[in-house]
Amino acid sequence: MKTKWMCMILMLALALPLSACGDRQENGNSSENGAINMEPQSVEDDLSENTGNESSEMNVMDQQDNGTDKNMMAVSGFKDSAFSGKVSGCYYADGSRIIVAADQLYLYDTGKGETIASTDISMGDLCVQTFTDGYFVVGQGKDDSSNASFAASESSGINGYILNKDFAVQDTISFSGLLSDDFIPQITGIAVSQDGKQVAFGGLQGLYLYDVSSRKVRTILNYSEEGTADNMQIVTMDSLTFTGNNTLVYVGMATDSSIGGDGVSVYGTVSTDSANLTITKKGDYKVDTEEVQKGGNLLIMPQSFDENNGTLLMLDTISNTENTMSFSSRSEGKDGVYCSGQGKYVATAVLEESSVTINIYDTTSGKSIHTETVQDSNSAYFMRIPQILILDESGTCIVVLGRGIDEVNTLITTFGFVG
């Protein structure tokens, strides 16, 4: 994954849940703003002995009504030393639950404001996917990790874990050696089926399916032999997601024989049973395949930042119909686009020298419904793309800053909005 933060820290076990301090107004013009400074329940409340960097004061400004009604409040800092390692990611699990990556992985309930469970898994970049009975965590293994690998090659260090709803590891899948003549280029090209029984993954030469029960892998299609449709030839399937137990939606690159030259952005479907393939060309829209996200039945495909023009391509994976959303300005999208867990909302981040502004949009109407600005005196927090989670049911937005910068503590703030 990119240092753009990606596939989303809260610190855990707080008495303070992810709800806000103030009352939420029904018109949506005043948000619930909150600060998180969490420690796991096993850590004593003795911040005076922390040796981690002290954070500067952070401000959250509600800028609804064109900035005429600004509600400012102080946000305390976050001390990642409480977790025996820097908090490195926050990921949607289901409902009010999120998965937090620090020295290990934690399952945290934002409604209860408490840690439910943890598991001794430590990875670098990772993605979290949900299925009917649990969670699939796939990521880049750390050099010093002793965990078993889920990898296309020994050097890639890609790890995959299937966990149940109680956050207990049910299976560790090792792909090292399974693909002797191919390579998995990125973790977004790996997906678990909705029943948790199969894992699909895209290599440089083909698309494959791993059966969790038999631990066997088979080829779904070979790009050079079976990856052709509508005069286009699949080159890579960089992002995968199951829409059923036997159907995949992919986003990748293909060559078009009618125009020749470089590859073009494409998406489509493929059957795990018959390898029946569809290819839809988006030649005028370059998808950032590492930032493709699925919320509910909605697949959002952000543009590559270097060709961003303030629009977002979305695909309804049930009806297989696409739609395009236009943001408030043509510059929005290059600093990150984020989909909510159920696909009701998307957010954009707009970075400035000492602030980031988050704009939340309704995916059905395409309308902007909330704007919030986070400020801090330390400009280092705004030198990289933030991580943003949106919880549909509670109307809560979680903003994580500094997680990929070793020199500063991870800072997190939350605010509420009305859809």
Side-chain angles (χ1 to χ4, degrees):
M1 297 289 286
K2 296 181 179 178
T3 56
K4 277 179 67 175
W5 318 24
M6 74 71 177
C7 9
M8 311 175 126
I9 272 176
L10 273 187
M11 299 265 351
L12 315 161
L14 242 202
L16 180 66
L18 287 179
S19 57
C21 302
D23 293 332
R24 181 185 300 175
Q25 296 183 6
E26 293 183 358
N27 61 11
N29 290 339
S30 180
S31 69
E32 292 186 356
N33 297 318
I36 306 300
N37 185 5
M38 290 200 226
E39 296 179 31
Q41 291 174 335
S42 60
V43 177
E44 294 183 3
D45 186 15
D46 190 7
L47 296 181
S48 63
E49 296 183 5
N50 272 333
T51 58
N53 296 328
E54 295 290 338
S55 71
S56 54
E57 182 179 90
M58 178 173 288
N59 290 322
V60 179
M61 301 173 60
D62 185 347
Q63 292 193 330
Q64 294 290 82
D65 298 332
N66 298 319
T68 58
D69 180 18
K70 296 181 180 180
N71 177 29
M72 183 178 295
M73 67 172 296
V75 177
S76 61
F78 165 86
K79 295 180 175 61
D80 57 1
S81 60
F83 279 80
S84 301
K86 185 177 175 66
V87 175
S88 60
C90 183
Y91 308 86
Y92 177 73
D94 53 73
S96 63
R97 296 181 176 186
I98 63 172
I99 293 174
V100 176
D103 56 321
Q104 57 183 327
L105 296 183
Y106 300 85
L107 184 63
Y108 181 81
D109 191 308
T110 65
K112 297 179 180 178
E114 63 184 25
T115 301
I116 300 172
S118 64
T119 186
D120 190 16
I121 295 175
S122 178
M123 293 186 287
D125 293 330
L126 62 90
C127 290
V128 172
Q129 301 172 34
T130 62
F131 59 93
T132 302
D133 296 319
Y135 313 103
F136 178 60
V137 180
V138 58
Q140 192 73 25
K142 295 181 179 179
D143 293 339
D144 59 353
S145 175
S146 61
N147 294 317
S149 297
F150 173 84
S153 74
E154 291 181 357
S155 60
S156 69
I158 296 177
N159 307 314
Y161 301 90
I162 293 178
L163 299 92
N164 63 18
K165 287 290 185 180
D166 294 325
F167 220 51
V169 176
Q170 301 298 290
D171 204 354
T172 301
I173 312 170
S174 177
F175 268 58
S176 180
L178 286 182
L179 296 179
S180 59
D181 58 352
D182 205 349
F183 176 79
I184 300 175
Q186 58 191 49
I187 61 177
T188 54
I190 304 172
V192 67
S193 61
Q194 293 182 350
D195 60 9
K197 296 180 179 180
Q198 302 176 105
V199 176
F201 56 100
L204 295 177
Q205 301 177 37
L207 179 65
Y208 309 92
L209 190 70
Y210 179 88
D211 184 270
V212 174
S213 178
S214 68
R215 298 181 179 271
K216 293 183 179 180
V217 62
R218 68 176 176 87
T219 301
I220 297 175
L221 63 83
N222 183 293
Y223 298 154
S224 62
E225 298 175 3
E226 305 156 304
T228 302
D230 298 326
N231 296 318
M232 287 180 286
Q233 172 74 55
I234 291 292
V235 176
T236 60
M237 291 183 172
D238 301 305
S239 179
L240 294 172
T241 183
F242 275 89
T243 59
N245 289 325
N246 301 310
T247 304
L248 286 160
V249 173
Y250 70 89
V251 183
M253 299 293 292
T255 56
D256 187 341
S257 60
S258 65
I259 61 175
D262 297 333
V264 295
S265 288
V266 295
Y267 71 83
T269 59
V270 58
S271 169
T272 61
D273 293 333
S274 63
N276 185 33
L277 178 70
T278 67
I279 304 178
T280 299
K281 180 174 68 175
K282 303 306 298 180
D284 57 342
Y285 187 101
K286 183 179 178 182
V287 180
D288 188 339
T289 56
E290 293 188 33
E291 299 303 323
V292 174
Q293 302 157 54
K294 187 172 184 288
N297 297 324
L298 188 67
L299 192 73
I300 73 161
M301 296 177 272
Q303 282 185 309
S304 177
F305 76 95
D306 58 339
E307 296 193 14
N308 173 73
N309 64 358
T311 61
L312 175 65
L313 180 65
M314 302 180 293
L315 178 71
D316 186 315
T317 60
I318 300 299
S319 63
N320 199 32
T321 56
E322 67 176 50
N323 189 25
T324 301
M325 174 185 295
S326 295
F327 299 133
S328 299
S329 69
R330 290 180 60 85
S331 63
E332 281 188 60
K334 64 181 180 63
D335 294 335
V337 179
Y338 313 87
C339 184
S340 67
Q342 298 302 316
K344 296 179 181 179
Y345 312 102
V346 294
T348 63
V350 180
L351 288 168
E352 301 292 344
E353 183 176 350
S354 59
S355 68
V356 59
T357 296
I358 297 96
N359 297 313
I360 298 178
Y361 295 83
D362 181 279
T363 56
T364 300
S365 66
K367 295 181 179 179
S368 175
I369 61 172
H370 193 91
T371 296
E372 200 90 16
T373 296
V374 175
Q375 293 183 322
D376 191 86
S377 59
N378 188 345
S379 61
Y381 288 113
F382 309 102
M383 296 175 66
R384 294 192 184 181
I385 303 299
Q387 188 180 34
I388 295 174
L389 271 73
I390 307 172
L391 307 184
D392 301 76
E393 295 178 1
S394 61
T396 301
C397 185
I398 305 167
V399 183
V400 184
L401 297 165
R403 71 187 185 104
I405 306 174
D406 293 337
E407 294 75 18
V408 298
N409 287 314
T410 301
L411 289 180
I412 180 166
T413 186
T414 70
F415 62 84
F417 63 93
V418 178

